[in-house]
Amino acid sequence: MLILLFIAAVPLGTYMMQLSDEITTSFEGKRWAVPARVYSRSMELYSGAPVSMERLVSELKYLGYRKVSQPDSTGTWAMNGGRLLLRSRPFTFWDGAEPERALDIRVAAGKIKSVMNHETGKEIDLVRLEPLEIGSIYPRDNEDRVILTPDDIPEMLKKSLITIEDRSYYDHFGIDPRGITRAAVSTLVKGRRQGGSTITQQLVKNYFLTPRRDLKRKSKEALMAIILDAKYDKEDILAAYANEIYLGQDGNREIHGFGLASEFFFGVPIAELEIHQIALMVGLIKAPSTYNPRRNPKNALKRRNLVLDVLAEQGVISEGSAAVAKKKSLGVVKKKSTGQGGRFPAFMDLVKRQLRRDYQPEDLTSEGLHIFTTMDPWVQKTAESNVLKRLQQLEKQKGLPKGKLEVAAIIATPQDGEVLAVIGGRKAGYAGFNRALDATRQIGSLVKPAVYLTALQYPDSYSLSTPLDDSKVVLHNRGSKSWSPSNYDHKSHGNVPLELALAKSYNQATVRLGMDIGVERVVKTLHALGMSSEPDPLPSLLLGAVNMTPLEVTQLYQTIASGGYRSPLRAIREVMGPGDKALKRYPLIIKRTVPAGPVYLLSRAMQSVVTRGTSRYLLNALPKSLNLAGKTGTTDNLRDSWFAGFSSDYVTVVWVGRDDNKPAGLSGSSGALRVWADMMKPLKSSPLDLVVPGTIEMARVDPKSGMLFNPVCGGNGVEKPFLRGYTPYEEAYCDSDYLMAPVPAQRSSNQVARPGRGSRDSDGHPDFNGDSWDNSRSRSSKKSNDGLGGFLRGIFE
C-alpha cells in the first residue's frame, strides 16, 4: 500500500507543482485587463468662481451625491438658502490627491462667494470636486470592473459576503470538507442541489477554469483552491473574489466585482453603501439574472430581505437594523451606461479619436488608464436637453415628417479651444453616426468672415466703413456657364459699408470683394484660421461652396473668437496610468495666426450681424448686454442651416439639416440660429467684451460715405475703429448742388489690389509682426489738396 501510495504521490505532486506555477504566474502577474476610465472636467470651487447654486446642485446630482438633513458622511449635502454644506469625496488627480472635506459653500448672484472648512471655519482657496465618469474603453471580452484593494472593501461587505457564501472562510484551507459532505448528502438523499464551494473555490472556478461541470474539473478546482489558500493571504484572496465575481449585464458589457456593481446599481462608490444595498449585491451572487433589481425587482427584494434575515440570525446586524433595512426600497438608480459609448457617446467618439494618436488599442483596454477630458457635464446636459424640442417645433412649422431634422453642435472655449460639449444628433444618447465629427456639409455664408478678414488685412484699401458695390455681378468662365450669384432677398443694394455687407450677408458685395482681393488669399486666411483641407480657389468658395464638419468650422471660429490666436481643439487634458502616475500631458498650444487688429474689426462686424443683420433674433431671445458675435449660414435650396457665434466664454457652432441632403426649408436664421439660442440661454454666458488692440484707433465718420465726419454738414457721425494710421483722410461733403460727390476714403471694390506704403510681407499685407504697424503715412500726409475737391475742402476747413 505504501509503495502504491508513493507511486501515486509522485505524479500528483508533479501535477500540483505545475498548478502552483500556473497560479503564481497568473495571480501575481497582471490579474485583469482593466479598461480605461474616461472622466469629465472637474468643477473647481473658489471665491469668485462663476458657479450658480443651480449649477452646483446639478453637478452634485450628476456625481450621485445624496441630499440629507445633515451631511455627516462622504457624498452627502444639505442646503440652507445661499449656503450649501457638503461632505466631498476624496479623489486622486494626475497632480495630486484631493482629500475628503467638510465644506461650507456660500453662493450669491451666480458666483461662489466663499468656500470654507465647515469644521474649522477657515477659508479654502480652491476645492476640486471629483470628475464625473463619462465612459470607459473596455477589453474585447466585454468585461468591466473597478479594482478594489483589501482596504477598499467595507467591513460590512466582508462580513456579509462570508456569512452568506462561506462562514468557515477564515478556518478552512481552501476547501471545506464539512461543506462538501453536507452538499453531497443534500444532493444524494434529499435530491436538492446545494453548493459546497468555498469562496476560494468560486474564485478558482471563475478566474482559472471553465464553467464545465465534471469530476475532473471539480478535482482540479479543489487542488487549485488548496494551493491558492496555502500561498496567499486570506484578505488578498477575498479581494480578488470581490473583484472577479460576475454581478450583472449592461448591454454587451459584463459587470464584474462589487466596486463596479456599486456604481452601476446605486450610483455611489462602494465606501458609501448602506446595509440594504450591500445585502442586495451579496444576494445577486446566487443568480445575477434572476435577481436583477432592474428587470426583476420583486425577486430582488425577496432575495435581499432573505439576506438581511440571515445576517440578523448570525449576529452580523441587529434585528432592529434588519427591520429598518427591509423597509427601504431597493435604491437602484436609473441605468447610466459608462461603457464604450458611455453616457455621452458623441463626446466619447472625439476622445477616442484623439487618444488613437498617442496610444495603442491594448493600452486603452488593459492598463487601467484614467483619462481626464475637457467635457463640462453641465454644458453638455443643458445643450442636449434644449435641442429636441426646438427640432420638433421646426418640423411642425415646415411641415416636415417627424424625426427628419437632424442636428450637430460643438461648444468650446474661445481662449484655449477646450471642447465642452458635442452633440452628434437629435438622439443624444445614441452611439450612431456622429454628425458633429463626420458630417461634411457645405458651410454657406459661414465662410464670409474669412473673406472680410482677408480684406481688412489691407487697411489702405478696406475698413469697416469702406463702401462696397452690391450690384449684380457676372463671372464668365471659359468652357462653362457664367456665374451670377444673387442676394438672399434677390435685390441689389447699391453701395453699402463693408460692415453692413457682412451683417446683411450680401452675396453680390461679398463676391466682388473676394474677387478683388483674390480667392487664393481667402484660402490662405482659412488655413490661418485652422482649415486643414485644400479647397479649390474657385469664386464659388466665396459663398461657402466648401465642405466642412461642424468640428472643423468650430476651429475656424475659435481662432476668430480668441482674437487671432489659434488653439487646436482638444478634448483631453491629462492621462494617468497605473500607480497614479501621470503618463502624458496634453498641453495648451496657442499660436497667433491672424493679426489682432483685423480680427478685432471683424469681430465688431460680426457683432453687427446680431444687432442689425441676419441674427437679430438673438436680441429678443438672449440679453442684449451679451454683445454676441456670430454668423448665419445657408446653402442652396435651404439644405443646410448653420449658425456660429461666440460670447466671452463659449464659441458654439450648430448645424441643422437632413441626412438625405434634401431641402430642409430652413435658412441659418430660421433654423440653426434658433437651436443655438435655446442651447445658450440657460448657460448664462458672460458678455463679449472685445479687447481693443494697440493697433486700433477710433475716428468719427460719416455713416453714408465712410469718410471723416464733417461737422459743417450737421448730424453726429459715428465712431468707428480703424487700424492705426489708416483712418479716412477725406472729410465728407455736405449735400449741395454746388458740391461734388465725395471720393471714397479707400479704393472701391472693383479696383485691383495694390500694395501701399510702409513695410510689406510677401502677400502685400502691411507688416504687422506682433501688434506694430507702419505709421509712416500720417493722416496729414494722406490729405490731397489737388483739384476742386481740395479747394472745396479748404473752404470748409
Side-chain angles (χ1 to χ4, degrees):
M1 265 317 269
L2 289 174
I3 294 172
L4 290 175
L5 287 174
F6 178 77
I7 294 173
V10 172
L12 178 63
T14 303
Y15 180 58
M16 292 189 71
M17 289 178 64
Q18 292 175 351
L19 290 180
S20 178
D21 291 339
E22 180 182 336
I23 290 171
T24 302
T25 301
S26 180
F27 204 72
E28 293 184 3
K30 191 174 184 178
R31 298 188 188 179
W32 295 282
V34 184
R37 303 284 172 196
V38 183
Y39 298 95
S40 71
R41 68 92 185 92
S42 172
M43 176 174 275
E44 297 183 344
L45 305 176
Y46 56 90
S47 179
V51 177
S52 64
M53 184 62 79
E54 177 190 9
R55 188 167 183 173
L56 177 55
V57 170
S58 295
E59 184 84 8
L60 295 177
K61 290 180 178 178
Y62 296 154
L63 295 171
Y65 279 70
R66 306 181 306 283
K67 186 177 182 180
V68 295
S69 58
Q70 183 63 39
D72 51 8
S73 61
T74 305
T76 58
W77 64 280
M79 186 166 60
N80 182 10
R83 180 185 181 193
L84 189 145
L85 302 179
L86 170 67
R87 180 75 67 164
S88 68
R89 295 177 180 136
F91 190 85
T92 301
F93 291 90
W94 63 90
D95 57 353
E98 185 77 20
E100 174 186 341
R101 298 177 191 262
L103 301 174
D104 183 344
I105 305 168
R106 311 294 174 96
V107 182
K111 292 185 177 181
I112 300 292
K113 188 177 179 181
S114 65
V115 181
M116 294 181 290
N117 185 311
H118 182 52
E119 296 171 342
T120 65
K122 293 183 179 180
E123 188 157 354
I124 303 174
D125 293 333
L126 174 67
V127 171
R128 286 185 293 182
L129 297 181
E130 77 273 18
L132 176 68
E133 185 179 338
I134 62 174
S136 57
I137 306 172
Y138 50 83
R140 291 181 180 179
D141 59 11
N142 293 327
E143 291 187 4
D144 195 5
R145 53 176 54 79
V146 173
I147 302 300
L148 302 174
T149 67
D151 293 336
D152 294 331
I153 304 174
E155 197 62 32
M156 181 56 68
L157 176 57
K158 291 181 182 179
K159 292 179 179 179
S160 301
L161 192 57
I162 291 170
T163 300
I164 301 300
E165 292 297 316
D166 187 359
R167 294 177 195 171
S168 60
Y169 175 72
Y170 288 108
D171 300 322
H172 63 61
F173 51 90
I175 61 173
D176 183 5
R178 291 182 180 179
I180 295 174
T181 302
R182 186 169 58 250
V185 171
S186 178
T187 302
L188 296 174
V189 178
K190 299 180 180 180
R192 292 184 302 180
R193 182 181 294 274
Q194 180 178 330
S197 296
T198 64
I199 283 177
T200 314
Q201 285 177 274
Q202 292 181 50
L203 174 61
V204 167
K205 178 183 67 176
N206 295 327
Y207 190 77
F208 296 101
L209 304 176
T210 64
R212 187 182 62 182
R213 291 187 176 186
D214 56 35
L215 183 60
K216 181 180 179 181
R217 192 205 63 94
K218 200 69 178 174
S219 300
K220 184 176 181 180
E221 174 190 300
L223 288 175
M224 294 184 79
I226 294 171
I227 295 170
L228 189 66
D229 187 85
K231 290 177 70 71
Y232 298 101
D233 184 79
K234 289 279 189 181
E235 296 301 318
D236 289 334
I237 296 172
L238 188 63
Y241 176 83
N243 288 319
E244 175 62 24
I245 192 69
Y246 171 74
L247 293 170
Q249 198 77 25
D250 176 23
N252 292 329
R253 180 175 67 142
E254 295 181 1
I255 305 299
H256 284 262
F258 292 105
L260 181 61
S262 175
E263 297 175 0
F264 179 65
F265 289 117
F266 307 113
V268 298
I270 194 168
E272 297 175 19
L273 290 178
E274 298 180 35
I275 183 59
H276 68 286
Q277 296 167 321
I278 290 174
L280 176 59
M281 288 204 304
V282 171
L284 282 172
I285 296 173
K286 183 176 182 180
S289 180
T290 302
Y291 301 117
N292 185 314
R294 292 194 177 99
R295 291 184 178 180
N296 305 306
K298 291 183 179 179
N299 290 349
L301 184 63
K302 185 177 179 180
R303 175 66 178 167
R304 184 203 70 176
N305 289 346
L306 176 61
V307 171
L308 289 170
D309 287 338
V310 174
L311 293 179
E313 290 173 5
Q314 296 298 317
V316 177
I317 60 176
S318 67
E319 294 285 351
S321 297
V324 171
K326 288 167 68 174
K327 290 180 181 180
K328 293 188 176 184
S329 66
L330 292 175
V332 176
V333 298
K334 185 178 179 181
K335 183 178 172 182
K336 297 179 181 179
S337 175
T338 55
Q340 297 281 30
R343 306 187 196 183
F344 310 99
F347 190 91
M348 279 289 293
D349 196 5
L350 177 59
V351 170
K352 285 187 280 190
R353 294 186 193 198
Q354 294 190 356
L355 283 171
R356 290 190 194 115
R357 298 180 306 199
D358 302 303
Y359 292 94
Q360 296 297 319
E362 56 269 21
D363 296 332
L364 299 175
T365 59
S366 63
E367 294 295 333
L369 304 181
H370 284 195
I371 299 159
F372 298 91
T373 73
T374 60
M375 197 202 83
D376 187 315
W378 163 263
V379 175
Q380 179 76 42
K381 295 285 286 186
T382 301
E384 290 177 356
S385 63
N386 286 280
V387 165
L388 186 58
K389 184 178 180 181
R390 175 62 69 175
L391 290 183
Q392 293 170 339
Q393 291 177 357
L394 293 174
E395 287 172 341
K396 186 176 181 180
Q397 291 171 8
K398 296 298 178 180
L400 296 172
K402 292 183 178 180
K404 277 296 181 183
L405 276 185
E406 275 296 349
V407 66
I410 300 282
I411 304 177
T413 56
Q415 301 306 322
D416 49 22
E418 290 193 339
V419 179
L420 304 177
V422 178
I423 294 178
R426 63 187 293 153
K427 296 180 181 179
Y430 176 64
F433 179 58
N434 193 338
R435 294 161 189 83
L437 308 186
D438 297 322
T440 55
R441 309 289 291 237
Q442 284 198 358
I443 66 172
S445 294
L446 291 190
V447 79
K448 288 178 180 176
V451 179
Y452 287 79
L453 177 59
T454 306
L456 290 169
Q457 293 180 70
Y458 295 91
D460 54 347
S461 302
Y462 292 104
S463 71
L464 296 183
S465 302
T466 302
L468 300 182
D469 181 7
D470 186 52
S471 62
K472 183 177 180 180
V473 58
V474 180
L475 298 180
H476 300 281
N477 298 316
R478 292 181 180 179
S480 61
K481 294 181 179 180
S482 60
W483 184 52
S484 181
S486 61
N487 289 325
Y488 184 76
D489 60 4
H490 301 290
K491 298 178 181 179
S492 297
H493 305 89
N495 284 338
V496 294
L498 180 147
E499 181 177 7
L500 186 62
L502 178 59
K504 297 290 187 179
S505 200
Y506 291 151
N507 291 335
Q508 295 172 163
T510 302
V511 170
R512 287 182 177 275
L513 176 62
M515 295 304 294
D516 185 23
I517 56 180
V519 182
E520 293 85 356
R521 285 175 175 165
V522 175
V523 171
K524 187 172 183 178
T525 297
L526 285 169
H527 287 152
L529 293 174
M531 174 186 273
S532 57
S533 61
E534 295 290 341
D536 294 329
L538 301 175
S540 58
L541 177 142
L542 301 172
L543 298 184
V546 57
N547 292 336
M548 299 182 73
T549 66
L551 182 68
E552 291 170 330
V553 172
T554 307
Q555 183 68 79
L556 303 186
Y557 279 78
Q558 178 275 323
T559 307
I560 296 172
S562 67
Y565 289 100
R566 188 177 72 207
S567 182
L569 297 179
R570 60 179 185 150
I572 305 171
R573 286 181 173 177
E574 304 282 347
V575 176
M576 191 168 73
D580 300 332
K581 180 181 178 182
L583 294 184
K584 185 173 182 64
R585 296 184 60 86
Y586 287 79
L588 176 62
I589 301 172
I590 298 178
K591 180 182 179 181
R592 175 172 287 289
T593 58
V594 184
V599 173
Y600 172 80
L601 297 178
L602 175 67
S603 298
R604 286 284 297 262
M606 291 176 68
Q607 286 179 319
S608 294
V609 174
V610 175
T611 57
R612 54 180 179 147
T614 58
S615 304
R616 282 181 57 83
Y617 170 82
L618 293 179
L619 294 180
N620 296 320
L622 297 170
K624 296 180 181 179
S625 59
L626 291 179
N627 301 323
L628 298 169
K631 186 69 190 75
T632 53
T634 310
T635 60
D636 290 345
N637 298 318
L638 303 180
R639 285 186 170 88
D640 301 282
S641 172
W642 291 88
F643 184 74
F646 54 91
S647 61
S648 67
D649 41 10
Y650 302 113
V651 54
T652 304
V653 173
V654 173
W655 168 86
V656 174
R658 294 176 57 159
D659 284 341
D660 58 13
N661 204 33
K662 292 182 179 180
L666 297 168
S667 66
S669 58
S670 65
L673 178 64
R674 311 300 171 101
V675 175
W676 193 95
D678 291 348
M679 289 169 51
M680 299 306 293
K681 185 176 182 179
L683 296 183
K684 298 179 181 178
S685 304
S686 300
L688 176 60
D689 295 322
L690 297 174
V691 178
V692 183
T695 56
I696 293 294
E697 62 178 325
M698 303 298 293
R700 188 172 293 275
V701 299
D702 174 63
K704 292 183 179 180
S705 66
M707 301 173 70
L708 283 175
F709 171 65
N710 189 341
V712 175
C713 302
N716 297 318
V718 291
E719 286 284 333
K720 291 290 181 183
F722 294 85
L723 289 171
R724 188 172 298 280
Y726 290 91
T727 57
Y729 54 87
E730 294 279 357
E731 286 185 342
Y733 295 94
C734 306
D735 292 334
S736 172
D737 294 338
Y738 300 101
L739 302 180
M740 294 181 60
V743 178
Q746 290 86 16
R747 61 187 172 88
S748 63
S749 61
N750 58 0
Q751 291 178 283
V752 179
R754 64 181 186 276
R757 298 180 183 178
S759 177
R760 297 273 159 174
D761 66 13
S762 60
D763 285 322
H765 295 71
D767 186 1
F768 34 67
N769 292 325
D771 283 334
S772 62
W773 283 84
D774 186 290
N775 293 323
S776 60
R777 296 174 60 192
S778 66
R779 192 174 305 169
S780 60
S781 68
K782 289 184 281 187
K783 294 181 180 180
S784 172
N785 292 313
D786 296 333
L788 181 60
F791 170 74
L792 292 173
R793 186 180 63 254
I795 293 175
F796 286 107
E797 286 180 345

